[in-house]
Amino acid sequence: MSAEKLFISGGNALTNFRKANSAEIVLQHFNKHNQVLICWQVGVGKSYNMDQVVETAIRQNYYDLVIVMPPTRKIIDERMFIKNPPSDINVVNIRPRPANECGKERNQLWTTYEARNLGQLGKRDCCESCPKYTECFWPSQYGKALQGNQVVFATQAHLKHNPNFIAHVKEHTNAERVLVIFDEANISLANYSRTLTSSSVNQLMEATDKSAISNRRKTEIKHYLMCLLAAPSEDLQDATAWLFPRLSTNEMTQILTVGDKIYGDSFHNIIYDLQAFGYSSADSREKLSNNEIRFPASPFTSTSDVLLYSGTTHPAILKMRLGVDFYSPYANYEFKGEGTTWMNIASSIGASSHFIKNAPQILDVFLQLIIQRVQGGKRVLLVSKKDHVGYCVAAMNQMLIEQGIHHIRIVHGEHYVERSDVSLIPVIHYGVIGINQYEEFDCCYCLNSYYVTEKVLSHSIQELRPDSERIDVSIAYSKNPRRRNGVVANEQYLFTDVAAVVDPMLQVLEMGTVVQAVGRVRPFTKSREIITFQSNDALASSYDKDFSSLEELRKHFGLATKRTRSSNSTADDVMALTAENLKQADIAKQLGISVRTVRRYQSKAASA
C-alpha cells in the first residue's frame, strides 16, 4: 500500500517545508544510505538546497570533497560558490577550453585532438608552445589544479569523455570521503553504452608495441588486449578478470603519441574506455557478431556517495539503468502553487504526426486564449516540439495579422530578451532545462504533444543489455481518459524487471520532458495557469481539468470557433451598413455576400 500523499501548497507551507528539510537533514540521510534521490519539482528549492548542502558538507566535515555535476555550464554559473567563492574553502570550476584565446591554428589542432579524446597531446603540442601558457588555467585544471580542492564543479559532459572522471578527481584531490551531486535526471537517461572495435584495439596494441615504455609494461598491455580480442561474451563477463593495467600520465602520452603518428585521424584514445570496461557491470558485457565489444560505462562505479536532485525520474529507472538503489525520502510529496490550475488535453491531434493538419484549429484556440490573457495583463509562455516552433511562430503571427491585431507578437524563445512586455509571447521547445528567465510568467500553454517511439522506449530501458537478452516492449492506449502506457509485448515477460520499469520509463521520457518545460514558469510553487497536451497522467502531480478534446477546452473557456467569429463579424458589418441606410443589394455587393444573407442578418437583429 502506497504512503499517503503530502501536499505542499502556498507560501507558508513551502517556507516551512524548506526549513524542515535543510541541508543538515538531507545529509543525515547518508548515515543509512549511499545514494539519495531528492525528487523536488522545479521551483521548490533544489538549487538553494544544493548550495547549502555543498557548504554544510565541507564546513561540518561530512565529506572531504564534494563534486557537483549539473547538465549545463549555465547552472554551474548560478551556484553560490561560483558567484561568491568562499575564502576558507578551496573551490575549483572545471571550465571549457578557452578556444578564443588559443588562436586559429592552435584551436584547429586542438579540435582534432578533442574529437579523438587526445587531450594529453593537445596540452603538449598546443599549450606548451602558447605564449599565454603560464597564465592559462586550462593545461593544469585536470591535474595539479585539483590538488587540495574541497569542492569541484564540472558538467556531466565530462562523463562522456571519461567514464572514470569521478575516480580521477577523487584521486587527484587525495580525498577519501566524497559526495557527488547530480542536478536533473539527465544522468539516469544518458547513453552509457560503449563500443570497442577490433581495429581500435589493434591500433592501441601496435602503438603500445612501438612506444618507448618499458618492455614489461608492453607485455602486460599486449597480453590484456590479445585476450580481449579473443574472448567470447562468456569470458568477458568474468567480473574480476578485466582490470586494465594502470598507466602513468607519461606512459599514456607516449602510447598515444605513437598511435597518432602511425594512424593519424583514424586513431582514437580508447584507454579511458578500457579502464571503464574493467569496472563495468559484467553481466552486460557482450561480444557482437562483428567482433566489437559492447559494455555499459555507468559513472556509479566509484566508492563515492551520490545525491541526485530530480523531480522527473523514478527510482526503478535508476536501479535498472545504473544498477543503484536510490533512497527517495520525498517520494510521497506533491507540490503545487496555491492558485495553480493545471489543465490537460488528452487528444491525439497534438501528436507530431497529426499536428500540422490540425494546427489551424489548435493554434486558433490558443491564440484566442492568449488575446484574453494579454488583455488581462498576464504573461504567456508557449511550448512546442522543436521541429514545429518555427511553424507555430509564423502561423500564429499570420493569424494575428489577419485578425487585425498588431500589438501582440509571437517570438522564438531563442530570440526572446527578458522584458515586462506582456504582448511579447515566446515559444520555447520541449527539452529545455535550467532556463530561469520565465519564472514570472503567469501562463504556460503546450501547443502540441511530446511523445517517444517504442524504439526509443526500448533502448532507454535496455541499452546496457546484450541484444540476446532484450525484451520487446510496446505502447498501449486506454480510453476515458486517453492514456499511453508502456507494456511488454509478450505476456510471458510480465514479471520481469523490464515489465516493472517500462511504464515508469515512458512517463519519465514523455511527461518528465513536459514538466521540465512548463516548470519554467514555476507552477509548483506559484499561482499559474498550465495547459498540457498529453495522453499521460501528470507526473508527481494531478490535473485540475482533463479534457478529451480541443472542443471541450474551447467550451470551458467560452471561446468561439473561427466560423462563429466570422459569422458574428459579418452580422456586425451588415448592421453597420444598414444603419447608414444602404439598400440590401448595395450591402450585399460591398460585403461580397448574397442579398438573402443580408436579409437574414437584418431579420435576426430585428427579432433580437
Side-chain angles (χ1 to χ4, degrees):
M1 184 175 180
S2 60
E4 182 181 352
K5 278 284 185 182
L6 298 175
F7 291 91
I8 305 297
S9 181
N12 290 336
L14 186 61
T15 298
N16 293 335
F17 173 83
R18 289 168 174 167
K19 288 180 179 179
N21 295 276
S22 61
E24 289 83 358
I25 297 299
V26 170
L27 287 167
Q28 285 174 16
H29 293 305
F30 288 97
N31 293 334
K32 296 182 179 179
H33 308 279
N34 298 115
Q35 295 88 22
V36 177
L37 169 64
I38 305 298
C39 54
W40 298 353
Q41 294 291 357
V42 180
V44 170
K46 291 186 298 180
S47 296
Y48 176 80
N49 187 266
M50 182 195 307
D51 287 341
Q52 297 305 307
V53 165
V54 172
E55 182 172 21
T56 303
I58 297 301
R59 292 199 187 282
Q60 297 190 17
N61 200 33
Y62 282 92
Y63 294 95
D64 305 319
L65 171 69
V66 178
I67 304 174
V68 184
M69 303 196 74
T72 67
R73 288 293 318 168
K74 186 171 183 178
I75 296 176
I76 290 179
D77 292 340
E78 293 174 349
R79 301 282 51 80
M80 178 179 70
F81 273 13
I82 298 300
K83 293 194 294 185
N84 298 296
S87 58
D88 57 339
I89 296 178
N90 297 324
V91 179
V92 63
N93 178 11
I94 298 184
R95 293 168 285 168
R97 180 174 60 84
N100 294 335
E101 301 293 323
C102 295
K104 184 177 180 180
E105 291 184 3
R106 287 189 181 84
N107 191 46
Q108 288 177 341
L109 182 58
W110 246 121
T111 300
T112 62
Y113 281 145
E114 287 171 332
R116 295 183 286 134
N117 217 8
L118 298 175
Q120 293 93 329
L121 304 191
K123 291 173 185 176
R124 181 194 64 195
D125 298 342
C126 299
C127 295
E128 291 182 5
S129 62
C130 178
K132 300 179 182 179
Y133 177 69
T134 57
E135 60 191 61
C136 184
F137 70 88
W138 171 255
S140 63
Q141 76 166 349
Y142 292 101
K144 293 180 180 179
L146 289 173
Q147 295 177 7
N149 279 289
Q150 298 161 283
V151 180
V152 175
F153 290 91
T155 62
Q156 294 168 15
H158 287 85
L159 298 173
K160 180 180 180 181
H161 300 298
N162 181 4
N164 287 323
F165 176 78
I166 294 172
H168 172 88
V169 173
K170 181 178 178 180
E171 177 182 355
H172 279 72
T173 54
N174 296 316
E176 294 184 3
R177 296 167 298 137
V178 180
L179 174 65
V180 183
I181 300 177
F182 290 105
D183 183 26
E184 300 298 344
N186 304 56
I187 198 69
S188 66
L189 301 177
N191 186 343
Y192 296 118
S193 179
R194 288 288 208 277
T195 300
L196 296 167
T197 65
S198 55
S199 62
S200 65
V201 174
N202 279 315
Q203 285 182 355
L204 182 63
M205 197 182 313
E206 179 76 5
T208 302
D209 186 58
K210 294 185 177 180
S211 71
I213 66 173
S214 69
N215 289 331
R216 181 181 63 82
R217 298 294 275 156
K218 288 180 181 179
T219 301
E220 186 180 9
I221 294 171
K222 183 177 182 179
H223 176 71
Y224 178 98
L225 296 177
M226 290 182 67
C227 290
L228 192 67
L229 290 172
S233 292
E234 295 76 24
D235 290 350
L236 293 178
Q237 292 171 3
D238 186 326
T240 60
W242 295 101
L243 290 178
F244 187 72
R246 188 179 180 87
L247 296 176
S248 67
T249 300
N250 183 52
E251 288 173 326
M252 185 184 297
T253 301
Q254 290 187 57
I255 293 171
L256 297 180
T257 299
V258 174
D260 179 55
K261 183 176 181 180
I262 296 175
Y263 299 105
D265 290 345
S266 68
F267 181 74
H268 289 250
N269 176 18
I270 63 168
I271 293 175
Y272 293 138
D273 285 348
L274 289 168
Q275 292 171 340
F277 176 76
Y279 291 99
S280 65
S281 174
D283 292 342
S284 296
R285 302 170 187 165
E286 64 173 332
K287 181 72 69 71
L288 304 179
S289 58
N290 60 1
N291 216 36
E292 291 182 350
I293 297 169
R294 186 167 65 194
F295 66 98
S298 167
F300 297 94
T301 54
S302 69
T303 56
S304 308
D305 287 348
V306 178
L307 176 60
L308 170 59
Y309 287 89
S310 173
T312 56
T313 192
H314 192 284
I317 295 173
L318 296 170
K319 172 63 176 177
M320 169 167 274
R321 293 275 303 161
L322 304 174
V324 175
D325 282 309
F326 273 82
Y327 172 62
S328 183
Y330 304 100
N332 62 326
Y333 281 77
E334 180 174 334
F335 302 89
K336 185 175 283 190
E338 191 170 15
T340 290
T341 301
W342 188 340
M343 291 161 279
N344 181 64
I345 310 168
S347 168
S348 64
I349 67 172
S352 191
S353 57
H354 303 307
F355 174 68
I356 295 299
K357 66 181 179 182
N358 291 292
Q361 61 168 322
I362 294 172
L363 300 183
D364 179 72
V365 169
F366 281 109
L367 203 54
Q368 289 183 73
L369 205 50
I370 290 168
I371 293 168
Q372 287 186 5
R373 296 298 176 262
V374 170
Q375 289 173 344
K378 303 291 187 181
R379 303 179 72 184
V380 181
L381 175 68
L382 303 178
V383 182
S384 169
K385 283 210 68 172
K386 191 171 185 178
D387 292 344
H388 297 319
V389 170
Y391 172 87
C392 291
V393 171
M396 296 181 85
N397 279 324
Q398 181 61 36
M399 290 178 177
L400 288 168
I401 292 172
E402 291 172 356
Q403 295 180 40
I405 299 173
H406 303 289
H407 67 286
I408 297 177
R409 187 159 63 94
I410 314 297
V411 297
H412 197 298
E414 292 182 358
H415 309 311
Y416 176 77
V417 178
E418 173 61 27
R419 58 186 186 183
S420 58
D421 185 359
V422 299
S423 63
L424 201 61
I425 314 297
V427 185
I428 63 172
H429 63 81
Y430 291 114
V432 296
I433 55 176
I435 299 176
N436 297 325
Q437 66 184 125
Y438 306 112
E439 290 182 8
E440 301 306 320
F441 277 60
D442 305 283
C443 312
C444 184
Y445 304 149
C446 297
L447 302 175
N448 41 53
S449 309
Y450 182 85
Y451 298 133
V452 299
T453 64
E454 291 177 346
K455 182 178 180 181
V456 170
L457 175 60
S458 177
H459 186 70
S460 297
I461 299 170
Q462 304 179 94
E463 168 209 350
L464 305 183
R465 290 192 166 196
D467 288 340
S468 60
E469 296 181 12
R470 296 192 181 189
I471 297 170
D472 290 337
V473 302
S474 60
I475 297 173
Y477 291 85
S478 60
K479 297 181 178 179
N480 301 320
R482 188 178 190 272
R483 292 289 186 262
R484 288 163 58 90
N485 300 106
V487 298
V488 290
N490 192 323
E491 290 188 358
Q492 69 173 310
Y493 298 113
L494 279 177
F495 300 102
T496 62
D497 54 353
V498 172
V501 79
V502 62
D503 192 54
M505 176 62 84
L506 180 67
Q507 306 313 317
V508 166
L509 289 173
E510 296 181 346
M511 282 306 294
T513 303
V514 173
V515 167
Q516 282 286 352
V518 302
R520 298 307 103 203
V521 302
R522 302 299 189 257
F524 304 105
T525 57
K526 298 181 180 180
S527 178
R528 300 290 185 252
E529 182 179 72
I530 306 297
I531 301 178
T532 49
F533 216 137
Q534 294 295 125
S535 294
N536 307 85
D537 287 320
L539 192 66
S541 188
S542 56
Y543 299 131
D544 297 290
K545 294 283 185 181
D546 200 3
F547 306 110
S548 61
S549 67
L550 192 66
E551 178 61 24
E552 288 185 10
L553 176 74
R554 183 187 288 116
K555 289 181 178 179
H556 174 77
F557 286 107
L559 304 175
T561 64
K562 188 174 182 179
R563 182 175 180 179
T564 300
R565 297 199 313 276
S566 176
S567 178
N568 291 341
S569 177
T570 302
D572 291 339
D573 291 341
V574 167
M575 298 317 298
L577 294 176
T578 299
E580 296 178 13
N581 297 318
L582 268 68
K583 295 180 180 179
Q584 291 178 340
D586 292 334
I587 295 174
K589 183 178 180 180
Q590 186 167 330
L591 297 179
I593 59 178
S594 67
V595 173
R596 183 179 178 181
T597 300
V598 173
R599 284 199 295 265
R600 186 173 73 250
Y601 283 129
Q602 289 176 336
S603 177
K604 284 184 179 179
S607 61

